Amino acid sequence: MLATYAGIPVEYSRPEFARIVLLPVAYDGTSTWVKGSDRGPDAFLHASENMELYDIETGTEVYRQGVNLLPVMRDFGSPESMTEAVFAKALDIMKSGRLFSMVGGEHSVSIGALRAARQVFGDITVLQFDAHTDLRPEYDGSACNHACAVHEASKHSNLVQVGIRSMDVSELEFMNRENVFFAHEIQGNQQWMEDVCSKITSRVYITIDLDVFDPSQLPSTGTPEPGGLWFYQVTELLRKVIATSQVIGFDIVELCPNPTEKSSDFLAAKLYYKILSYIFKS
C-alpha cells in the first residue's frame, strides 16, 4: 500500500496537519454477482498515485489541505462486525472535526458510516448516487447486506436518491417517491439538478455507488446497469450541492477492478479528488 494518499508529500499526510481523513474498507462479503470490490480500495489508491494533483476547474491543489490515509480495513468475520468496525472508526474521525471520507468495498460499508454521521450531526440529508435503491430491510439473513445500504438511513435521515434504475418491488414500501430521481426521468429534464438541491438540508452525507455511472463510462463495478449517468452530470450536481450545503462526510463504493480495464479505477480516483476540490474551494 502507498505510504501516503496519491503519493503526496509526507508533511501533507500527518494526522496533526490533515483536514481530511481517508478510510479504505476492503470488504466484499455480501455481494451476489461479480466479486472483487474488496480489491477496490487498492485499485483506487494506485490510480490516485498516477493522477495530476492540480484541479483545472477549481484552480486548486486540494491535497495541500492535508489527507491522512488510514490503513486499509480488512478481514471481517461477518457483515455485522464490519458495520460495527466502520461505525467506530467513522465516529472517531467525525468527532475529531476532520472531514470523513471512505472508499470501498461494497456498499454495505456505508451503513456504519451513515450511523456515525447521524450520531454526531443529528438531522442530516443522505444524498445517494446509485443504480439501485438498496432499501431492503434485510437480505440473505442480514440487515448489513449491500442490498440494505440505505434502509436504516431512509428511516432516520432525509434520504435523496439519484440515478436509480433497478429495484425490487418490495422496496416500494420504504421509498419516499418525492425524493427519488430515476435515471429515465433525469434524461431530457433541464430542471432535475435544481430539484435535487431543493430536497437537501444544510448538512449532507454523500454516498456514491459507482454503478450510478453508465457502464460505457465505468464498466468495472459489481452490478453494472445500462442507462446510467455521465461524469459531468454527477460532478455538476455535486458542485451545486456542495456550494450550498455542509458536507459532513462522503464515500465512494463498489469499484470492482478489472486488471485489463483501468479507466474505471481512474474515474473513481478523479471523482474523489474532484469532491475534495469542490468542498475546500467552497
Side-chain angles (χ1 to χ4, degrees):
M1 193 183 97
L2 302 179
T4 65
Y5 161 73
I8 62 176
V10 172
E11 60 264 31
Y12 293 111
S13 68
R14 294 192 177 102
E16 64 273 17
F17 173 81
R19 300 177 66 185
I20 303 147
V21 180
L22 172 55
L23 175 65
V25 184
Y27 181 72
D28 190 28
T30 75
S31 62
T32 49
W33 192 29
V34 180
K35 290 286 189 179
S37 61
D38 55 328
R39 300 192 303 271
D42 289 333
F44 164 87
L45 291 170
H46 182 66
S48 299
E49 187 183 21
N50 292 280
M51 178 181 64
E52 301 288 3
L53 296 177
Y54 173 72
D55 180 69
I56 296 172
E57 183 183 359
T58 60
T60 62
E61 293 177 295
V62 71
Y63 77 87
R64 293 178 180 273
Q65 301 291 334
V67 183
N68 177 215
L69 173 62
L70 300 183
V72 179
M73 297 180 73
R74 306 180 189 271
D75 302 324
F76 305 98
S78 67
E80 290 74 21
S81 64
M82 177 276 299
T83 298
E84 285 301 317
V86 172
F87 168 75
K89 185 66 72 173
L91 191 67
D92 181 61
I93 295 166
M94 292 176 187
K95 284 183 175 180
S96 75
R98 295 175 292 169
L99 177 66
F100 172 83
S101 65
M102 177 172 64
V103 61
E106 62 170 63
H107 209 168
S108 61
V109 304
S110 303
I111 298 172
L114 290 168
R115 192 177 295 171
R118 291 194 306 275
Q119 182 163 319
V120 174
F121 296 98
D123 185 22
I124 63 170
T125 289
V126 175
L127 176 59
Q128 173 196 5
F129 291 82
D130 208 320
H132 309 88
T133 43
D134 292 347
L135 286 171
R136 288 175 168 92
E138 70 157 19
Y139 195 69
D140 281 350
S142 175
C144 297
N145 190 285
H146 72 101
C148 314
V150 295
H151 176 79
E152 192 175 300
S154 73
K155 296 192 295 183
H156 304 295
S157 304
N158 174 42
L159 176 64
V160 180
Q161 301 178 290
V162 173
I164 305 299
R165 53 197 188 276
S166 181
M167 63 182 295
D168 186 76
V169 67
S170 65
E171 296 175 271
L172 287 170
E173 176 184 351
F174 309 106
M175 174 184 287
N176 177 1
R177 182 62 184 87
E178 293 184 356
N179 280 16
V180 180
F181 295 84
F182 290 111
H184 72 275
E185 295 176 340
I186 286 172
Q187 305 306 320
N189 179 358
Q190 301 300 314
Q191 185 66 27
W192 75 274
M193 292 190 193
E194 286 69 25
D195 293 341
V196 172
C197 291
S198 73
K199 303 290 185 180
I200 294 173
T201 56
S202 58
R203 293 192 185 106
V204 60
Y205 183 101
I206 301 169
T207 179
I208 302 176
D209 186 326
L210 290 168
D211 65 25
V212 73
F213 290 100
D214 191 81
S216 64
Q217 294 230 306
L218 194 143
S220 297
T221 187
T223 48
E225 292 276 354
L229 303 189
W230 301 92
F231 184 78
Y232 284 119
Q233 284 182 301
V234 171
T235 57
E236 183 179 353
L237 177 56
L238 286 167
R239 177 173 54 79
K240 290 176 181 291
V241 169
I242 290 167
T244 56
S245 304
Q246 177 192 359
V247 178
I248 58 172
F250 71 96
D251 63 58
I252 297 174
V253 300
E254 297 281 356
L255 176 63
C256 189
N258 180 332
T260 63
E261 194 284 299
K262 296 297 185 182
S263 65
S264 296
D265 306 354
F266 207 77
L267 188 153
K270 292 286 283 189
L271 181 63
Y272 176 84
Y273 201 70
K274 182 68 73 175
I275 293 171
L276 292 183
S277 299
Y278 288 153
I279 290 172
F280 286 91
K281 180 70 171 179
S282 296

PDB file of all heavy atoms in Angstrom, residues 63-79:
ATOM      1  N   TYR A  63      -4.883  18.741  -2.151  1.00  0.00           N
ATOM      2  CA  TYR A  63      -4.103  17.888  -1.255  1.00  0.00           C
ATOM      3  C   TYR A  63      -3.357  18.704  -0.198  1.00  0.00           C
ATOM      4  O   TYR A  63      -2.993  18.211   0.873  1.00  0.00           O
ATOM      5  CB  TYR A  63      -3.118  17.017  -2.049  1.00  0.00           C
ATOM      6  CG  TYR A  63      -1.880  17.743  -2.537  1.00  0.00           C
ATOM      7  CD1 TYR A  63      -0.747  17.856  -1.736  1.00  0.00           C
ATOM      8  CD2 TYR A  63      -1.853  18.331  -3.798  1.00  0.00           C
ATOM      9  CE1 TYR A  63       0.382  18.534  -2.180  1.00  0.00           C
ATOM     10  CE2 TYR A  63      -0.734  19.000  -4.253  1.00  0.00           C
ATOM     11  CZ  TYR A  63       0.384  19.104  -3.442  1.00  0.00           C
ATOM     12  OH  TYR A  63       1.501  19.774  -3.872  1.00  0.00           O
ATOM     13  N   ARG A  64      -3.136  20.009  -0.500  1.00  0.00           N
ATOM     14  CA  ARG A  64      -2.443  20.882   0.454  1.00  0.00           C
ATOM     15  C   ARG A  64      -3.267  21.125   1.722  1.00  0.00           C
ATOM     16  O   ARG A  64      -2.745  21.652   2.710  1.00  0.00           O
ATOM     17  CB  ARG A  64      -2.083  22.206  -0.208  1.00  0.00           C
ATOM     18  CG  ARG A  64      -1.042  22.054  -1.319  1.00  0.00           C
ATOM     19  CD  ARG A  64      -0.735  23.374  -1.996  1.00  0.00           C
ATOM     20  NE  ARG A  64       0.254  23.216  -3.049  1.00  0.00           N
ATOM     21  CZ  ARG A  64       1.579  23.256  -2.877  1.00  0.00           C
ATOM     22  NH1 ARG A  64       2.059  23.464  -1.651  1.00  0.00           N
ATOM     23  NH2 ARG A  64       2.399  23.104  -3.887  1.00  0.00           N
ATOM     24  N   GLN A  65      -4.544  20.780   1.703  1.00  0.00           N
ATOM     25  CA  GLN A  65      -5.349  20.814   2.920  1.00  0.00           C
ATOM     26  C   GLN A  65      -4.983  19.661   3.862  1.00  0.00           C
ATOM     27  O   GLN A  65      -5.362  19.674   5.029  1.00  0.00           O
ATOM     28  CB  GLN A  65      -6.841  20.729   2.586  1.00  0.00           C
ATOM     29  CG  GLN A  65      -7.342  21.838   1.693  1.00  0.00           C
ATOM     30  CD  GLN A  65      -7.352  23.184   2.377  1.00  0.00           C
ATOM     31  OE1 GLN A  65      -7.449  23.277   3.597  1.00  0.00           O
ATOM     32  NE2 GLN A  65      -7.255  24.247   1.583  1.00  0.00           N
ATOM     33  N   GLY A  66      -4.293  18.680   3.314  1.00  0.00           N
ATOM     34  CA  GLY A  66      -3.848  17.530   4.095  1.00  0.00           C
ATOM     35  C   GLY A  66      -4.813  16.371   4.023  1.00  0.00           C
ATOM     36  O   GLY A  66      -6.001  16.525   4.332  1.00  0.00           O
ATOM     37  N   VAL A  67      -4.318  15.213   3.599  1.00  0.00           N
ATOM     38  CA  VAL A  67      -5.127  13.993   3.532  1.00  0.00           C
ATOM     39  C   VAL A  67      -4.400  12.897   4.304  1.00  0.00           C
ATOM     40  O   VAL A  67      -3.323  12.449   3.901  1.00  0.00           O
ATOM     41  CB  VAL A  67      -5.366  13.533   2.083  1.00  0.00           C
ATOM     42  CG1 VAL A  67      -6.278  12.305   2.069  1.00  0.00           C
ATOM     43  CG2 VAL A  67      -5.963  14.649   1.233  1.00  0.00           C
ATOM     44  N   ASN A  68      -4.985  12.500   5.413  1.00  0.00           N
ATOM     45  CA  ASN A  68      -4.421  11.432   6.236  1.00  0.00           C
ATOM     46  C   ASN A  68      -5.015  10.095   5.797  1.00  0.00           C
ATOM     47  O   ASN A  68      -6.199   9.833   5.988  1.00  0.00           O
ATOM     48  CB  ASN A  68      -4.741  11.702   7.708  1.00  0.00           C
ATOM     49  CG  ASN A  68      -4.259  10.612   8.642  1.00  0.00           C
ATOM     50  OD1 ASN A  68      -4.897  10.306   9.640  1.00  0.00           O
ATOM     51  ND2 ASN A  68      -3.122  10.012   8.347  1.00  0.00           N
ATOM     52  N   LEU A  69      -4.189   9.262   5.163  1.00  0.00           N
ATOM     53  CA  LEU A  69      -4.612   7.953   4.691  1.00  0.00           C
ATOM     54  C   LEU A  69      -4.450   6.935   5.805  1.00  0.00           C
ATOM     55  O   LEU A  69      -3.329   6.680   6.273  1.00  0.00           O
ATOM     56  CB  LEU A  69      -3.787   7.544   3.467  1.00  0.00           C
ATOM     57  CG  LEU A  69      -3.989   6.128   2.935  1.00  0.00           C
ATOM     58  CD1 LEU A  69      -5.427   5.918   2.475  1.00  0.00           C
ATOM     59  CD2 LEU A  69      -3.007   5.840   1.794  1.00  0.00           C
ATOM     60  N   LEU A  70      -5.569   6.330   6.215  1.00  0.00           N
ATOM     61  CA  LEU A  70      -5.528   5.303   7.244  1.00  0.00           C
ATOM     62  C   LEU A  70      -5.221   3.939   6.638  1.00  0.00           C
ATOM     63  O   LEU A  70      -5.417   3.725   5.439  1.00  0.00           O
ATOM     64  CB  LEU A  70      -6.868   5.253   7.974  1.00  0.00           C
ATOM     65  CG  LEU A  70      -7.302   6.530   8.693  1.00  0.00           C
ATOM     66  CD1 LEU A  70      -8.623   6.294   9.443  1.00  0.00           C
ATOM     67  CD2 LEU A  70      -6.232   7.023   9.656  1.00  0.00           C
ATOM     68  N   PRO A  71      -4.759   2.993   7.448  1.00  0.00           N
ATOM     69  CA  PRO A  71      -4.551   1.627   6.938  1.00  0.00           C
ATOM     70  C   PRO A  71      -5.863   1.038   6.421  1.00  0.00           C
ATOM     71  O   PRO A  71      -6.941   1.326   6.946  1.00  0.00           O
ATOM     72  CB  PRO A  71      -4.046   0.866   8.168  1.00  0.00           C
ATOM     73  CG  PRO A  71      -3.490   1.914   9.072  1.00  0.00           C
ATOM     74  CD  PRO A  71      -4.328   3.142   8.845  1.00  0.00           C
ATOM     75  N   VAL A  72      -5.760   0.206   5.402  1.00  0.00           N
ATOM     76  CA  VAL A  72      -6.948  -0.437   4.842  1.00  0.00           C
ATOM     77  C   VAL A  72      -7.550  -1.388   5.874  1.00  0.00           C
ATOM     78  O   VAL A  72      -6.848  -2.223   6.444  1.00  0.00           O
ATOM     79  CB  VAL A  72      -6.601  -1.207   3.555  1.00  0.00           C
ATOM     80  CG1 VAL A  72      -7.845  -1.886   2.990  1.00  0.00           C
ATOM     81  CG2 VAL A  72      -5.992  -0.275   2.515  1.00  0.00           C
ATOM     82  N   MET A  73      -8.853  -1.261   6.111  1.00  0.00           N
ATOM     83  CA  MET A  73      -9.550  -2.197   6.990  1.00  0.00           C
ATOM     84  C   MET A  73      -9.899  -3.448   6.190  1.00  0.00           C
ATOM     85  O   MET A  73     -10.475  -3.356   5.106  1.00  0.00           O
ATOM     86  CB  MET A  73     -10.826  -1.559   7.554  1.00  0.00           C
ATOM     87  CG  MET A  73     -10.581  -0.341   8.419  1.00  0.00           C
ATOM     88  SD  MET A  73     -12.119   0.391   9.057  1.00  0.00           S
ATOM     89  CE  MET A  73     -12.580  -0.837  10.297  1.00  0.00           C
ATOM     90  N   ARG A  74      -9.560  -4.626   6.751  1.00  0.00           N
ATOM     91  CA  ARG A  74      -9.765  -5.889   6.040  1.00  0.00           C
ATOM     92  C   ARG A  74     -10.187  -6.977   7.035  1.00  0.00           C
ATOM     93  O   ARG A  74     -10.165  -6.775   8.243  1.00  0.00           O
ATOM     94  CB  ARG A  74      -8.478  -6.380   5.365  1.00  0.00           C
ATOM     95  CG  ARG A  74      -7.794  -5.398   4.441  1.00  0.00           C
ATOM     96  CD  ARG A  74      -6.543  -6.037   3.851  1.00  0.00           C
ATOM     97  NE  ARG A  74      -5.720  -5.083   3.115  1.00  0.00           N
ATOM     98  CZ  ARG A  74      -5.851  -4.808   1.832  1.00  0.00           C
ATOM     99  NH1 ARG A  74      -6.785  -5.404   1.132  1.00  0.00           N
ATOM    100  NH2 ARG A  74      -5.043  -3.933   1.243  1.00  0.00           N
ATOM    101  N   ASP A  75     -10.531  -8.138   6.492  1.00  0.00           N
ATOM    102  CA  ASP A  75     -10.669  -9.383   7.253  1.00  0.00           C
ATOM    103  C   ASP A  75     -11.697  -9.289   8.381  1.00  0.00           C
ATOM    104  O   ASP A  75     -11.367  -9.395   9.564  1.00  0.00           O
ATOM    105  CB  ASP A  75      -9.308  -9.810   7.823  1.00  0.00           C
ATOM    106  CG  ASP A  75      -8.253  -9.999   6.743  1.00  0.00           C
ATOM    107  OD1 ASP A  75      -8.618 -10.475   5.646  1.00  0.00           O
ATOM    108  OD2 ASP A  75      -7.087  -9.647   6.983  1.00  0.00           O
ATOM    109  N   PHE A  76     -12.942  -9.098   7.986  1.00  0.00           N
ATOM    110  CA  PHE A  76     -14.042  -9.046   8.943  1.00  0.00           C
ATOM    111  C   PHE A  76     -14.710 -10.421   9.034  1.00  0.00           C
ATOM    112  O   PHE A  76     -14.832 -11.140   8.045  1.00  0.00           O
ATOM    113  CB  PHE A  76     -15.069  -8.002   8.507  1.00  0.00           C
ATOM    114  CG  PHE A  76     -14.488  -6.636   8.300  1.00  0.00           C
ATOM    115  CD1 PHE A  76     -14.141  -6.204   7.019  1.00  0.00           C
ATOM    116  CD2 PHE A  76     -14.271  -5.788   9.360  1.00  0.00           C
ATOM    117  CE1 PHE A  76     -13.609  -4.943   6.814  1.00  0.00           C
ATOM    118  CE2 PHE A  76     -13.728  -4.520   9.171  1.00  0.00           C
ATOM    119  CZ  PHE A  76     -13.392  -4.101   7.900  1.00  0.00           C
ATOM    120  N   GLY A  77     -15.185 -10.747  10.219  1.00  0.00           N
ATOM    121  CA  GLY A  77     -15.804 -12.044  10.412  1.00  0.00           C
ATOM    122  C   GLY A  77     -17.218 -12.147   9.893  1.00  0.00           C
ATOM    123  O   GLY A  77     -17.695 -13.236   9.577  1.00  0.00           O
ATOM    124  N   SER A  78     -17.910 -11.013   9.800  1.00  0.00           N
ATOM    125  CA  SER A  78     -19.310 -11.017   9.383  1.00  0.00           C
ATOM    126  C   SER A  78     -19.691  -9.625   8.915  1.00  0.00           C
ATOM    127  O   SER A  78     -18.983  -8.639   9.210  1.00  0.00           O
ATOM    128  CB  SER A  78     -20.206 -11.423  10.565  1.00  0.00           C
ATOM    129  OG  SER A  78     -20.181 -10.417  11.574  1.00  0.00           O
ATOM    130  N   PRO A  79     -20.824  -9.493   8.208  1.00  0.00           N
ATOM    131  CA  PRO A  79     -21.282  -8.148   7.836  1.00  0.00           C
ATOM    132  C   PRO A  79     -21.520  -7.265   9.053  1.00  0.00           C
ATOM    133  O   PRO A  79     -21.250  -6.061   9.021  1.00  0.00           O
ATOM    134  CB  PRO A  79     -22.583  -8.412   7.068  1.00  0.00           C
ATOM    135  CG  PRO A  79     -22.493  -9.818   6.613  1.00  0.00           C
ATOM    136  CD  PRO A  79     -21.692 -10.545   7.640  1.00  0.00           C
TER     137      PRO A  79
END
